[in-house]
Structures are given as structure tokens and as C-alpha cells.
């Protein structure tokens, strides 16, 4: 099930907003995150903590790779792998046809 996200984006956004809103009412970020995760039935508070940290990176409040940069890097890696496969196919075809040209022909 890799690649699928069990939580809708709307829930993620709402949870991150709620943590920001209730943070002043708690002693720490973790306490606020745990409370919101419990209210929204999010499996673990760690999941919500990662969402909050990524949202902070995306907003420029924290250093790191933004979601857009990560998606672009993933796209480029996929494209690079595809081009490498195509290049290998072309090399194999080139070698095949070069071998065909080098073979002596028999005329009847």
C-alpha cells in the first residue's frame, strides 16, 4: 500500500491549523499535537507532528525541503530513470544492427 495516503488532504490541513490555533493553550508543541490527534482520530501523534513540521518547512518557518521541491525532485528522478532505460534499449539496438552489418552476406 506504499504511495497511498490514508488521510485526506483536507483533514491534514485542518489538523495542522488546529495545532497552530491551540498551541498557546498547551505547555509544548507535543502536548498540543497529541490533543489534536486524539480529537481528530489520527492514528498516532507522530503522524500529525510530521504534518506540522512539513507545513512549517513549506511556510518557510523551518529549514528543509519543501513539498514542491520534493515532488519536483521525485519527478526528475523518475524521468532520469526512464531516460536511462531508453538509452540502454537504444544501445542494445545499435549493437544488434551493427552486428548485422558486419555479417557476411551469402548470395545465391
Amino acid at each position: 500500500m506504499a504511495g497511498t495516503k490514508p488521510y485526506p488532504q483536507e483533514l491534514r490541513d485542518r489538523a495542522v491549523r488546529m495545532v497552530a490555533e491551540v498551541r498557546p493553550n498547551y505547555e509544548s508543541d507535543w502536548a498540543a499535537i497529541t490533543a489534536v490527534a486524539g480529537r481528530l482520530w489520527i492514528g498516532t501523534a507522530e503522524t500529525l507532528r510530521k504534518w506540522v513540521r512539513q507545513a512549517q518547512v513549506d511556510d518557510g518557518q523551518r529549514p528543509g525541503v519543501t513539498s514542491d521541491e520534493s515532488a519536483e525532485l521525485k519527478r526528475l528522478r523518475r524521468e532520469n530513470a526512464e531516460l536511462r532505460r531508453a538509452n540502454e534499449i537504444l544501445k542494445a539496438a545499435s549493437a544488434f544492427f551493427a552486428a548485422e552489418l558486419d555479417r557476411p552476406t551469402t548470395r545465391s
Side-chain angles (χ1 to χ4, degrees), residues 30-105:
W30 184 250
I33 289 169
T34 304
V36 171
R39 286 186 198 142
L40 295 179
W41 292 83
I42 296 171
T44 65
E46 178 63 16
T47 298
L48 179 53
R49 186 192 69 79
K50 288 180 182 179
W51 297 346
V52 169
R53 296 298 183 256
Q54 188 60 52
Q56 290 171 341
V57 169
D58 291 346
D59 291 340
Q61 300 171 358
R62 193 178 198 89
V65 179
T66 66
S67 297
D68 292 338
E69 291 170 337
S70 180
E72 176 69 5
L73 187 57
K74 186 176 180 180
R75 184 190 68 75
L76 290 172
R77 285 183 176 153
R78 191 172 33 248
E79 183 180 329
N80 193 2
E82 185 178 319
L83 290 171
R84 285 178 193 253
R85 281 191 297 273
N87 201 13
E88 288 300 316
I89 291 169
L90 291 172
K91 282 181 185 177
S94 173
F96 173 78
F97 288 118
E100 285 292 313
L101 291 174
D102 287 343
R103 286 192 186 135
T105 58

